[in-house]
């Protein structure tokens, strides 16, 4: 009896799988103007309309940055987007056009052609008709580079025009740039006028200083009274957009000092004290400053301002005398000390370390006149004690662990890894052979398409499992080899510093990664550079069943 013919039906026809990309949109605007063609609303609509017609795009979020220049890449929305890319949560990024991503030629080029490809992220610019995963992407690369360069030149040209406009304003006696606290622009948009309650606060600050209060005392009193700080006032006026300035902000002594030194409050406009180019600023000599008398209504009289300057100069001289002895010693902990509560860098006084932010908050909340600070001598003792214990432990554990890392026949764990690697390699080769045979049978009519797909799915699944396990084994073997080599380095470092009786700068910078100081209690937590190696050695011992009291 002849064998029946196996012809494929329409239902059996092979349908290629479509990859769906987890997509985030990104929008940016330098000035919050929702009526502009480049408004956030307009950009979002373009991205949504594009995504709605695509079956391979799953638009999950649209990130926005408002009030940020394209040359500034320290934007909260952009940083959130890049965090998502690095975590593998973003498979595709969609923007209205290239300029929304940024206007810096080098940074944007690095992002498009180096960073995104490394993380296998698809990039789409709607108005530029560019898709990095499209067949014509390589042909359009030159067009993208050219547009990127044009965006960079546009930004530079805008910056030059803005600088020229600012210089012209300065020559006319108009205030260019950020307005001083206590002033707003008048109806003509040019002349400064006192800003109600804020102007009264400025006058009060001068009176408080004349009455004998220091800048720290003034800052603390204004904060305790709940008076809005300059940052809060700028948020209320819409000059800054960050929501963090909507909440009460502590008055900083440096802000008080700046207000007390600001001659603008006497009705004088003084500008051009600094020259900035390529983000570098330098002070200009006084004869080059641009100064206009009686440019606006004064908040402070010239006489009062002069008296305050005398008091500030006297306080400055007294401070220099107090700090003249003892001389400031070398800061061997530079770049290593941080506040354990807020994460900011802990500052160094003459003989102590402290967190200025948390200290100010503690004073405000508790009413304390002085918050305890950590003496440098105490920190030295903690560091040497912790270092001695930690390094002794590392050496002991490392000696045991390295004996288990030797690639010889007596090392059972190492041999087990090598056998597993060989078995995974064989399994991958066998999967390739099985798949090749099944495909040949399919072409010869022994297997129909449905039978072949079942075999292919199972074989590819087994192969993927073997490849994943092989990758884990390779990573483990590489780590063990690196640990074996790294042990000698840390042993040599320990031997180099083991006879030190006090921490030197070289010792701290070599062995210490981070020092965290808890405000008020001054508890110290030390993180050493070899902490990861220590944990890895302990893992080796645990896997091998070796017990240790270290």
């Amino acid at each position: 009896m002849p064998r029946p013919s196996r012809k494929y039906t329409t239902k059996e026809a092979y349908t290629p799988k479509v990859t769906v990309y987890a997509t985030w949109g990104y929008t940016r605007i330098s000035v919050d103007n929702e009526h502009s063609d480049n408004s956030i609303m307009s950009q979002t609509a373009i991205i949504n309309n594009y995504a709605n017609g695509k079956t391979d795009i799953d638009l999950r979020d649209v990130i926005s940055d408002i009030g940020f220049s394209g040359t500034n890449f320290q934007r909260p929305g952009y940083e959130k987007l890049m965090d998502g890319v690095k975590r593998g949560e973003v498979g595709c990024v969609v923007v209205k056009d290239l300029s929304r991503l940024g206007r810096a030629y080098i940074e944007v080029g690095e992002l498009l052609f180096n960073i995104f490809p490394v993380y296998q992220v698809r990039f789409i610019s709607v108005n530029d008709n560019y898709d990095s995963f499209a067949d014509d992407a390589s042909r359009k690369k030159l067009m993208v580079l050219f547009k990127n360069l044009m965006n960079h030149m546009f930004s530079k040209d805008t910056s030059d025009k803005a600088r020229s406009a600012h210089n012209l304003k300065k020559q006319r006696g108009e205030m260019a740039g950020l307005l001083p606290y206590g002033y707003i622009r008048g109806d003509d948009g040019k002349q400064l006028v006192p800003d109600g309650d804020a102007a009264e606060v400025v006058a009060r600050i001068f009176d408080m200083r004349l009455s004998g209060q220091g800048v720290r005392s003034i800052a603390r009193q204004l904060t305790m009274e709940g008076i809005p700080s300059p940052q809060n006032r700028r948020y209320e006026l819409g000059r800054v957009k960050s929501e963090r300035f909507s909440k009460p902000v502590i008055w900083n002594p440096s802000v008080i000092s700046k207000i007390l030194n600001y001659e603008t409050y006497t009705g004088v406009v003084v500008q051009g004290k600094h020259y900035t180019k390529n983000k570098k600023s330098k002070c200009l000599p006084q004869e080059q400053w641009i100064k206009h008398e009686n440019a606006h209504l004064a908040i402070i009289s010239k006489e009062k301002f002069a008296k305050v300057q005398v008091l500030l100069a006297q306080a400055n001289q007294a401070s220099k005398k107090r700090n003249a002895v003892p001389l400031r010693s070398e800061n061997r902990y530079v770049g290593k000390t941080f506040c354990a509560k807020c994460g900011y860098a802990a500052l160094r006084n003459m003989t102590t370390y402290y967190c200025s932010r948390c200290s100010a908050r503690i004073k405000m909340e508790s009413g304390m006149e002085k918050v305890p600070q950590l003496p440098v001598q105490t920190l030295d003792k903690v560091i040497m004690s912790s270092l001695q214990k930690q390094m002794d432990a590392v050496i002991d554990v490392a000696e045991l662990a390295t004996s288990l890392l030797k690639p010889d026949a007596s090392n059972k764990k190492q041999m087990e890894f090598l056998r597993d690697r060989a078995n995974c390699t064989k399994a991958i080769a066998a999967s390739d052979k099985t798949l090749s045979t099944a495909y040949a049978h399919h072409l010869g009519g022994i297997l129909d398409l449905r039978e072949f797909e079942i075999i292919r799915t199972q074989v590819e699944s087994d192969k993927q499992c073997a490849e994943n396990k092989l990758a884990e084994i390779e990573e483990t073997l590489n780590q063990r080899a690196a640990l074996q080599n790294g042990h000698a380095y840390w042993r040599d470092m320990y031997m180099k510093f083991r006879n030190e009786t006090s921490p030197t700068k070289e010792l701290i910078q070599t062995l210490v990664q981070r020092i965290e100081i808890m405000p008020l209690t001054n508890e110290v937590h030390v993180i050493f550079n070899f902490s990861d190696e220590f944990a890895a050695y302990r893992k080796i011992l645990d896997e091998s069943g070796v017990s240790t009291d270290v």
Side-chain angles (χ1 to χ4, degrees):
M1 181 177 179
R3 182 175 178 175
S5 173
R6 290 188 176 181
K7 295 184 178 180
Y8 306 132
T9 64
T10 304
K11 293 182 180 180
E12 293 176 323
Y14 176 71
T15 302
K17 295 181 180 179
V18 176
T19 302
V20 179
Y21 297 89
T23 304
W24 286 15
Y26 177 74
T27 61
R28 180 192 62 80
I29 192 168
S30 299
V31 180
D32 187 9
N33 181 0
E34 291 300 331
H35 300 290
S36 167
D37 291 338
N38 257 342
S39 69
I40 295 297
M41 185 180 298
S42 174
Q43 294 179 54
T44 303
I46 290 174
I47 292 172
N48 282 324
N49 289 339
Y50 179 86
N52 288 338
K54 304 295 180 181
T55 58
D56 58 343
I57 290 180
D58 177 17
L59 185 61
R60 299 183 179 181
D61 200 359
V62 177
I63 309 298
S64 300
D65 278 318
I66 300 175
F68 287 91
S69 166
T71 59
N72 175 19
F73 284 83
Q74 294 180 340
R75 323 170 209 147
Y78 175 80
E79 290 174 351
K80 180 180 178 181
L81 174 70
M82 294 309 299
D83 286 342
V85 168
K86 293 173 183 177
R87 289 195 304 267
E89 298 175 3
V90 182
C92 177
V93 175
V94 181
V95 297
K96 175 202 167 191
D97 59 55
L98 284 169
S99 66
R100 297 307 91 199
L101 192 62
R103 291 187 181 275
Y105 178 73
I106 295 176
E107 285 82 354
V108 175
E110 176 74 13
L111 190 63
L112 295 184
F113 302 115
N114 287 331
I115 297 177
F116 280 168
V118 166
Y119 289 98
Q120 298 181 342
V121 172
R122 180 182 180 185
F123 175 74
I124 297 173
S125 177
V126 179
N127 285 2
D128 295 313
N129 194 26
Y130 176 74
D131 184 342
S132 65
F133 279 19
D135 293 336
D136 61 352
S138 58
R139 180 171 57 83
K140 290 184 177 181
K141 182 176 180 180
L142 183 61
M143 176 271 294
V144 171
L145 290 172
F146 179 73
K147 285 192 173 183
N148 189 19
L149 180 60
M150 293 301 296
N151 290 332
H152 178 86
M153 296 304 295
F154 173 82
S155 176
K156 187 176 183 303
D157 181 58
T158 303
S159 177
D160 292 340
K161 289 179 179 177
R163 186 181 293 108
S164 298
H166 277 200
N167 289 336
L168 185 60
K169 285 184 177 181
K170 292 175 183 177
Q171 295 296 335
R172 292 199 301 255
E174 300 175 19
M175 179 66 70
L178 189 65
L179 298 185
Y181 172 73
Y183 280 110
I184 57 176
R185 295 194 187 278
D187 295 335
D188 61 358
K190 298 179 181 179
Q191 192 171 27
L192 302 186
V193 296
D195 180 20
D197 293 340
E200 292 180 6
V201 172
V202 171
R204 183 186 172 193
I205 289 173
F206 275 84
D207 290 337
M208 293 168 75
R209 185 67 188 90
L210 283 174
S211 68
Q213 279 189 260
V215 293
R216 294 182 182 276
S217 174
I218 296 173
R220 183 163 57 250
Q221 184 171 338
L222 296 180
T223 300
M224 293 180 67
E225 292 180 10
I227 295 175
S229 69
Q231 294 94 325
N232 295 139
R233 185 57 183 154
R234 291 189 185 102
Y235 178 83
E236 293 171 356
L237 294 172
R239 296 177 188 170
V240 295
K241 306 294 183 181
S242 178
E243 289 294 330
R244 64 191 179 97
F245 293 128
S246 64
K247 302 176 183 178
V249 179
I250 294 173
W251 281 81
N252 194 299
S254 64
V255 173
I256 302 296
S257 294
K258 185 176 181 180
I259 289 175
L260 293 172
N261 281 285
Y262 220 150
E263 195 176 358
T264 303
Y265 295 123
T266 65
V268 178
V269 172
V270 181
Q271 300 183 103
K273 292 183 178 182
H274 302 86
Y275 175 74
T276 303
K277 187 175 183 181
N278 298 328
K279 299 182 179 180
K280 294 183 179 180
S281 179
K282 68 174 183 178
C283 296
L284 295 178
Q286 191 168 349
E287 55 269 18
Q288 294 185 23
W289 295 356
I290 303 173
K291 192 171 184 177
H292 292 268
E293 297 281 351
N294 303 317
H296 52 264
L297 186 63
I299 297 176
I300 304 299
S301 67
K302 291 184 181 295
E303 293 76 17
K304 183 179 290 188
F305 182 81
K307 290 179 181 179
V308 168
Q309 299 315 299
V310 172
L311 291 177
L312 293 175
Q314 291 174 350
N316 188 39
Q317 289 296 325
S319 176
K320 288 181 178 180
K321 290 181 180 179
R322 286 196 304 270
N323 295 333
V325 178
L327 294 175
R328 183 181 290 272
S329 60
E330 180 187 38
N331 185 6
R332 49 187 172 274
Y333 295 103
V334 60
K336 301 295 184 180
T337 54
F338 298 88
C339 176
K341 189 172 183 65
C342 69
Y344 282 87
L347 303 181
R348 181 191 181 215
N349 208 334
M350 294 303 299
T351 57
T352 61
Y353 282 92
Y354 68 101
C355 174
S356 60
R357 291 171 175 264
C358 290
S359 294
R361 192 174 299 277
I362 291 171
K363 287 180 181 178
M364 182 185 68
E365 295 174 351
S366 65
M368 297 176 62
E369 285 294 327
K370 188 175 182 180
V371 177
Q373 299 179 357
L374 178 65
V376 175
Q377 291 181 348
T378 302
L379 181 57
D380 288 344
K381 293 178 182 178
V382 172
I383 290 297
M384 291 308 295
S385 175
S386 301
L387 180 64
Q388 190 70 35
K389 293 177 182 178
Q390 186 76 358
M391 286 303 298
D392 285 344
V394 167
I395 294 298
D396 291 342
V397 171
E399 291 291 352
L400 289 172
T402 49
S403 65
L404 301 172
L405 293 171
K406 296 177 181 179
D408 54 39
S410 63
N411 190 338
K412 294 182 180 180
K413 194 65 180 179
Q414 187 79 1
M415 296 304 296
E416 181 181 333
F417 282 127
L418 295 175
R419 282 195 300 271
D420 289 344
R421 182 175 66 177
N423 291 335
C424 288
T425 303
K426 290 179 182 179
I428 293 170
S431 296
D432 290 337
K433 184 176 180 180
T434 301
L435 191 60
S436 177
T437 302
Y439 184 67
H441 288 173
H442 168 59
L443 294 178
I446 300 174
L447 298 173
D448 61 22
L449 182 60
R450 183 180 61 81
E451 292 169 336
F452 170 70
E453 284 297 321
I454 291 174
I455 294 174
R456 184 185 64 81
T457 301
Q458 182 61 48
V459 171
E460 287 184 348
S461 176
D462 294 341
K463 180 182 177 182
Q464 186 63 53
C465 290
E467 288 177 342
N468 292 341
K469 185 175 180 180
L470 178 61
E472 292 176 1
I473 294 171
E474 292 286 3
E475 182 179 1
T476 301
L477 289 172
N478 290 336
Q479 288 177 351
R480 291 166 73 92
L483 283 172
Q484 188 176 11
N485 296 329
H487 165 250
Y489 173 79
W490 290 115
R491 182 190 60 212
D492 293 343
M493 289 298 100
Y494 175 65
M495 296 300 294
K496 179 179 179 179
F497 297 113
R498 71 181 306 174
N499 294 325
E500 296 285 353
T501 57
S502 61
T504 62
K505 185 174 183 178
E506 183 184 8
L507 181 149
I508 296 300
Q509 297 301 319
T510 302
L511 301 181
V512 176
Q513 179 183 350
R514 185 182 178 93
I515 301 170
E516 296 179 347
I517 304 170
M518 180 62 70
L520 194 60
T521 63
N522 286 324
E523 296 176 11
V524 178
H525 175 60
V526 186
I527 303 173
F528 294 98
N529 278 327
F530 46 80
S531 298
D532 292 341
E533 284 80 1
F534 183 64
Y537 287 136
R538 291 300 301 266
K539 182 180 179 181
I540 296 292
L541 296 179
D542 292 341
E543 289 176 348
S544 303
V546 178
S547 60
T548 175
D549 295 331
V550 179

